[in-house]
Amino acid sequence: MSAEDVKQATTREAVLKALLDEVRAAYEAARAEVQHHLDSAQEATGARQFTAELPDGRRLGTVSLTGGEPAAQIIDREAFTAWARESFPAERVTRIVKEVREAFAERLLAEMTAAGVPQVVDPESGEVHDVPGVEIRATRRRSHSVRFAKGGREAVGEAWRSGALAPLVLPALAPGAGDESA
């Protein structure tokens, strides 16, 4: 390996790192902007999925909201366990430490998720229990996903190589950017 090989390899890595940093920063900013728009659109219209297109109208794919679905979650294990031991003694397991069967807790959480409230009904007595230590919360941070249509990625590559996307997507890397005489 020659000194020239090392120089070319290190230069290539440095250039790609600079480009990657620029693309990553632009991607994160675009992702935050899209999330804001998707949240607003869903609130206004209920829509959760949108089509992505190139400036020339070619379809790239779809962008869909994900996450944020509410589910029952134990937020205070001690309060939940004390309530479950008292209210449903048959589900109590006695070891050195008293606890509630995990399968029972999972079943109750599923029931509460389906009902949308931290309450369960005792099937034997019909009594409705407010369950302490449980809240209905989003299970994942609300986000969105991009799914490319067949040929969508290739279309982006073609549009990038033609120069059609540089000013739109990465203005700092567009031809003439930073050119003081322009």
Side-chain angles (χ1 to χ4, degrees):
M1 176 178 305
S2 71
E4 186 60 31
D5 291 338
V6 173
K7 181 179 178 183
Q8 286 179 355
T10 57
T11 300
R12 182 171 188 262
E13 180 183 358
V15 168
L16 290 172
K17 171 76 170 114
L19 292 172
L20 179 62
D21 291 347
E22 186 73 28
V23 169
R24 182 177 287 123
Y27 175 75
E28 293 302 325
R31 188 161 177 80
E33 180 183 11
V34 167
Q35 187 66 50
H36 170 74
H37 289 305
L38 292 176
D39 289 342
S40 297
Q42 188 199 19
E43 190 174 307
T45 68
R48 295 184 56 84
Q49 189 174 67
F50 299 85
T51 300
E53 296 178 348
L54 287 171
D56 66 8
R58 284 186 286 169
R59 185 174 180 274
L60 295 176
T62 56
V63 179
S64 307
L65 281 168
T66 62
E69 291 85 17
Q73 296 177 328
I74 297 173
I75 58 163
D76 183 339
R77 177 65 66 177
E78 287 183 32
F80 173 79
T81 301
W83 166 82
R85 281 194 319 241
E86 171 124 0
S87 301
F88 295 91
E91 297 298 332
R92 184 173 57 210
V93 176
T94 304
R95 296 188 186 121
I96 293 175
V97 178
K98 291 181 182 178
E99 58 185 39
V100 174
R101 296 176 208 271
E102 194 60 35
F104 175 72
E106 289 173 9
R107 188 187 84 209
L108 289 183
L109 290 172
E111 288 177 20
M112 290 182 273
T113 296
V117 292
Q119 296 178 329
V120 295
V121 177
D122 183 332
E124 292 180 19
S125 68
E127 180 182 358
V128 176
H129 294 271
D130 289 318
V131 182
V134 175
E135 286 184 2
I136 307 297
R137 294 180 165 178
T139 55
R140 294 186 319 199
R141 188 173 61 103
R142 189 173 170 92
S143 187
H144 62 275
S145 65
V146 176
R147 290 190 180 86
F148 286 96
K150 185 175 182 178
R153 288 182 187 271
E154 293 80 7
V156 169
E158 291 169 18
W160 179 260
R161 285 187 295 278
S162 76
L165 296 181
L168 173 73
V169 178
L170 288 170
L173 299 179
D179 183 359
E180 303 303 321
S181 63

